[in-house]
Amino acid sequence: MTTVSDETSNVVPAEPEPDGAPEAALTDADGNAVTPAGSETPDTADGDTSGGTESVVADAEDTDPENTDPANTGADDTDADDPDADDTDEPDRVNADIAVDDPAADDPSDTDDPSATDDPPETVDTETADVESGTVESGTVESGDVGQGDVEHGDVSAEDPADTDDHAPEDNTSDHNAPEDNASEDSAPVDSAYDDSAYDDTSALPAVAATQLDPDDDSWWKSAIFYQIYPRSFSDLNGDGVGDLAGVIDKLGYLELLGVDAIWLSPIMRSPMADHGYDVSDPRDIDPLFGDLALFDELVTEAHDRDIRVTMDLVPNHSSDQHPWFVAALASEPGSPERARYIFRDGRGEDGDEPPNNWVSVFGGPAWTRVPDPDGTPGQWYLHIFAAEQPDLNWENPEVFDDLATTLRFWLDRGVDGFRIDVAHGMAKPEDLPDMDLESVGLLENRDDDPRFNNYAVHDIHRKIRTVLDEYPGAANVGEIWVEDNERFAEYLRPDELHLGFNFRLAKAEFDPESIRAAIENSLDAVLSVGGTPTWTLSNHDVDREVTRYGRIAAAPDVDVDLGILRARAMLLVELALPGTIFIYNGAELGLPNADLADDVLQDPVWERSGHTERGRDGCRVPLPWEGFEPPFGFSTSADTWLPIPESWVRFTVEAQLEDVGSTLSLYRQAIEMRYDRPEFDGDTVEWYGAPEGCLAFRRSAGHLICALNTSDVPVPLPPGEILLTSYPLMDGQLAPNSAAWLA
């Protein structure tokens, strides 16, 4: 990384242009000043700030004017093929599918939406926009019907061998509206009576072996934009208040419009849901809460048809306590092969009544639980770095990797394009299990010297995982690595280990130039030492949303959401200006803050295990608002969603932002498109410039894109150059406070 200059200047500098500074350009391509949806800031540059009402997303509109298609496909494809499809009226949904010249749009059988007689506040009509060419202002979409339609490959028929899987849902059809096992609010507990021999059944393979989206492209992940879907909170199509795979399929058109390369699904495998899916009881099946294997195969097929890759969460550090292996371990004697798959130890103390060491759970409380021996007497202790329902696997046992390899191939053979590996730095444990420094770490965190994590033996595990992925060209994995030391972090990204490593430095940085620059420099230095690819994210399901973090002001009791939105928009431009791979958490593109939830609705195990001292992560996991004027905002037909959606989120719905060129959603779409299309984004490193106080500026090494950020409370001059995009309109030709700009 080359530093061009660190001298302080009075402007955010760039290389001088012969003709001097250009005229001020605003976010709107038409030259209109635009205001971020929902934000309130000082007066901006003179002129019309309405942004106009012309649609920038016309190709995303529902061509069914009555919108009576309950599956929200944008066409009546499902009805045409399925005589049992539900044609009853449901509340309108924002149709994310992009249907062009769809004859189903004029279906005379469609009935009026009963809600149409209501008199809602005046909004832009998002139901009748014509689509003439499939090209939108900030994204180009191929014309043609891209509703759910027929599956061209990977389709699982009623006679699919998946139906013979002992643990698969009995009904393996792909009816989006009513997966048979999805009626309950939570997943039914796994039957703990079945023996672990049944777990070896892996016959539930697709009728036609699928492949990755493009097996010839083995480097797509180096500049990809991943969109993390927290399935419980993305879209619920069966009306039980919990998001599902049918809901994801329903919104693939929205994701295509957004412009992402890949989706990352948080856990959808079978689970008792003690930790919302991160306690897996069968890693080779879909939990009925979300759907079934046939529906998953349909998701992969339809995502691939839209050039969107599908990656899955993998949880190899631990299993559920209802996994057949652990059930067998509890029924077996100490020292048995069944117990050797987990970390069982005799206790300390006179009668073994003290834990084997002093380790604590990441969620709070002890990391050990004592269990009775088969004869009922007090017995050994088992290790669980997380909840007691998540016993840690013993990765020194070769059976553990062999089983994981089977799981990897199971999903890769279904066309999955890769995996996000949960707790990728935590699988290996030191042989002597030394005590830890209890004062050095808090809940939901670890340090580099924490003996629970980052032990060197973990790298052998990742090398074995990589050998399996290398059998599938076009597949890639990314590890969740909470490691601060650059040298130790880089070890995970050696050519025979992980393709990518999650780096959280930018998400942890304060909104000030020094903190942001340090995060960027550290992140680049860490990966470039091994020829790796940097990753960037501002939020995920485990950390507060960026709007909430940036909206906190010292000594202020409440979060300033409007300020947080401005700063989050600015940081989006910083993030997308950087070389490498981007991860967007669902809802970030809407400018969502954390939700302020009442104590009695909290579900994160951290809340209970901390003795109600830590509220946990539920605030950043609330379901997304899609449309309408009151909860559940089109997320579900049930008002009883698994976490309540705040009424104040009416301003954040997709419907409210879809045609507003000044909205956060529009900014995301425009920025993502530019990142793909403009040559200025070339280069693997950045060059730093001097900048006014409270500002920073850097340039991409090859394409020479300039990103300027103003974290101060006063406008600052911009350098010469063509303004490509601003996160907020200029103020008298200057970069506004709490905003960023791209220049060429």
Side-chain angles (χ1 to χ4, degrees):
M1 181 166 57
T2 304
T3 300
V4 175
S5 173
D6 282 326
E7 290 96 352
T8 301
S9 65
N10 293 324
V11 297
V12 181
E15 294 184 326
E17 294 289 335
D19 299 328
E23 292 295 324
L26 304 186
T27 304
D28 185 356
D30 296 327
N32 299 322
V34 290
T35 302
S39 61
E40 298 176 4
T41 61
D43 292 338
T44 62
D46 294 336
D48 179 13
T49 61
S50 66
T53 58
E54 295 182 8
S55 172
V56 297
V57 289
D59 62 345
E61 307 314 322
D62 190 348
T63 58
D64 176 359
E66 310 299 333
N67 199 11
T68 56
D69 175 11
N72 188 24
T73 61
D76 284 342
D77 299 333
T78 304
D79 293 353
D81 297 331
D82 182 2
D84 298 324
D86 183 5
D87 245 348
T88 58
D89 292 332
E90 285 189 17
D92 285 348
R93 293 177 180 273
V94 173
N95 186 352
D97 285 336
I98 305 118
V100 181
D101 298 330
D102 183 357
D106 299 320
D107 186 351
S109 66
D110 289 344
T111 58
D112 291 337
D113 184 344
S115 65
T117 59
D118 296 339
D119 187 20
E122 182 177 354
T123 60
V124 176
D125 182 4
T126 64
E127 297 294 320
T128 59
D130 291 331
V131 180
E132 297 179 357
S133 65
T135 302
V136 295
E137 187 171 313
S138 60
T140 301
V141 181
E142 295 292 330
S143 63
D145 182 5
V146 289
Q148 292 173 14
D150 296 330
V151 177
E152 296 179 2
H153 62 276
D155 187 29
V156 180
S157 66
E159 291 79 29
D160 191 300
D163 291 342
T164 64
D165 183 6
D166 288 352
H167 314 307
E170 194 172 275
D171 179 7
N172 222 18
T173 64
S174 57
D175 182 354
H176 291 190
N177 297 314
E180 184 173 327
D181 290 330
N182 270 16
S184 63
E185 180 176 343
D186 213 339
S187 172
V190 176
D191 182 6
S192 61
Y194 65 115
D195 67 327
D196 64 346
S197 62
Y199 175 68
D200 295 331
D201 180 9
T202 58
S203 61
L205 297 175
V208 178
T211 62
Q212 286 58 57
L213 176 60
D214 185 359
D216 294 328
D217 186 353
D218 60 0
S219 62
W220 61 270
W221 42 272
K222 291 186 176 181
S223 60
I225 295 179
F226 286 78
Y227 184 91
Q228 180 192 356
I229 292 177
Y230 196 69
R232 300 175 67 93
S233 299
F234 189 63
S235 176
D236 168 31
L237 218 62
N238 73 349
D240 66 355
V242 181
D244 45 45
L245 292 182
V248 177
I249 294 173
D250 186 53
K251 302 301 184 187
L252 284 174
Y254 168 77
L255 298 176
E256 184 180 28
L257 187 70
L258 185 60
V260 299
D261 295 287
I263 56 175
W264 150 33
L265 296 167
S266 289
I268 54 175
M269 289 93 159
R270 258 189 196 268
S271 167
M273 301 294 167
D275 187 22
H276 296 154
Y278 285 94
D279 50 317
V280 178
S281 57
D282 187 344
R284 297 191 281 274
D285 195 9
I286 300 297
D287 193 274
L289 186 68
F290 303 119
D292 54 32
L293 285 167
L295 198 58
F296 177 80
D297 291 336
E298 184 178 348
L299 168 59
V300 173
T301 297
E302 295 207 20
H304 284 181
D305 286 346
R306 298 173 185 270
D307 291 329
I308 297 175
R309 291 173 168 85
V310 177
T311 61
M312 300 180 71
D313 231 318
L314 197 67
V315 190
N317 178 72
H318 48 264
S319 77
S320 165
D321 63 346
Q322 295 188 29
H323 190 292
W325 276 8
F326 194 71
V327 173
L330 293 182
S332 302
E333 298 288 343
S336 65
E338 290 80 7
R339 289 205 172 186
R341 295 165 176 160
Y342 294 89
I343 301 176
F344 281 86
R345 293 289 187 272
D346 293 331
R348 297 190 292 193
E350 183 175 349
D351 297 314
D353 55 359
E354 296 179 11
N357 66 18
N358 73 341
W359 289 8
V360 294
S361 164
V362 172
F363 291 161
W368 295 92
T369 293
R370 195 176 194 185
V371 296
D373 284 340
D375 63 4
T377 60
Q380 290 185 309
W381 300 72
Y382 72 88
L383 177 67
H384 50 88
I385 296 299
F386 295 89
E389 296 87 351
Q390 297 166 288
D392 280 48
L393 289 158
N394 175 19
W395 276 88
E396 294 181 3
N397 187 329
E399 279 190 79
V400 174
F401 174 75
D402 290 345
D403 187 71
L404 178 67
T406 300
T407 295
L408 292 169
R409 293 187 177 97
F410 178 86
W411 297 110
L412 291 165
D413 286 339
R414 305 190 93 90
V416 167
D417 300 283
F419 302 93
R420 178 261 190 185
I421 301 179
D422 184 60
V423 197
H425 63 312
M427 292 175 281
K429 308 299 190 296
E431 184 176 357
D432 57 347
L433 297 176
D435 283 349
M436 61 181 292
D437 180 0
L438 296 177
E439 296 182 359
S440 65
V441 295
L443 298 182
L444 297 174
E445 66 181 31
N446 64 269
R447 294 166 55 97
D448 285 356
D449 58 356
D450 187 334
R452 301 172 299 174
F453 299 97
N454 200 28
N455 292 284
Y456 276 106
V458 76
H459 297 288
D460 289 333
I461 300 171
H462 287 299
R463 292 187 185 98
K464 293 178 181 178
I465 293 174
R466 182 62 177 265
T467 61
V468 176
L469 260 71
D470 285 346
E471 298 171 12
Y472 296 82
N477 60 6
V478 55
E480 179 193 29
I481 309 170
W482 291 93
V483 175
E484 289 293 327
D485 181 76
N486 284 348
E487 184 175 347
R488 295 294 302 275
F489 183 89
E491 291 170 345
Y492 289 86
L493 301 181
R494 289 174 289 202
D496 59 347
E497 295 192 40
L498 292 165
H499 294 83
L500 296 167
F502 260 114
N503 188 316
F504 301 96
R505 288 185 174 90
L506 198 60
K508 295 168 65 176
E510 299 293 331
F511 190 74
D512 68 70
E514 293 77 18
S515 181
I516 295 167
R517 176 169 175 170
I520 294 172
E521 289 182 328
N522 278 325
S523 300
L524 291 173
D525 289 345
V527 300
L528 293 178
S529 65
V530 291
T533 299
T535 64
W536 313 98
T537 188
L538 296 175
S539 57
N540 68 14
H541 64 291
D542 286 332
V543 299
D544 286 344
R545 289 188 176 276
E546 50 264 63
V547 168
T548 293
R549 297 198 316 272
Y550 300 143
R552 292 192 181 108
I553 303 175
D558 300 318
V559 171
D560 186 335
V561 173
D562 293 325
L563 177 63
I565 291 172
L566 288 175
R567 291 176 171 179
R569 289 166 60 97
M571 286 302 297
L572 170 68
L573 295 197
V574 172
E575 178 187 29
L576 291 186
L578 294 166
T581 307
I582 305 296
F583 289 86
I584 297 170
Y585 179 46
N586 60 201
E589 78 278 13
L590 303 178
L592 293 182
N594 271 25
D596 188 11
L597 301 173
D599 291 353
D600 60 355
V601 304
L602 297 180
Q603 299 190 33
D604 192 334
V606 172
W607 174 241
E608 293 297 333
R609 290 186 62 86
S610 67
H612 294 180
T613 60
E614 295 288 339
R615 295 180 59 79
R617 301 156 293 177
D618 289 323
C620 66
R621 299 177 175 183
V622 172
L624 301 192
W626 290 94
E627 64 175 17
F629 305 97
E630 60 184 16
F633 297 116
F635 164 75
S636 174
T637 57
S638 170
D640 187 19
T641 54
W642 78 279
L643 286 174
I645 309 175
E647 293 183 1
S648 61
W649 279 17
V650 63
R651 64 189 281 201
F652 298 115
T653 65
V654 173
E655 182 181 49
Q657 299 192 45
L658 201 58
E659 293 192 353
D660 178 1
V661 295
S663 70
T664 299
L665 176 57
S666 293
L667 178 67
Y668 265 77
R669 292 183 56 236
Q670 199 170 359
I672 290 171
E673 183 194 21
M674 282 190 179
R675 190 174 190 268
Y676 286 133
D677 292 346
R678 301 285 303 207
E680 289 86 358
F681 289 83
D682 291 342
D684 295 331
T685 58
V686 301
E687 302 164 340
W688 293 96
Y689 290 91
E693 184 177 356
C695 301
L696 65 77
F698 60 85
R699 184 178 72 172
R700 288 287 285 270
S701 57
H704 295 166
L705 173 85
I706 297 169
C707 180
L709 171 69
N710 180 11
T711 71
S712 75
D713 57 2
V714 296
V716 297
L718 278 168
E722 175 191 1
I723 299 177
L724 303 180
L725 187 64
T726 61
S727 66
Y728 188 80
L730 301 181
M731 300 179 68
D732 297 327
Q734 295 186 320
L735 187 61
N738 301 304
S739 68
W742 287 347
L743 304 95

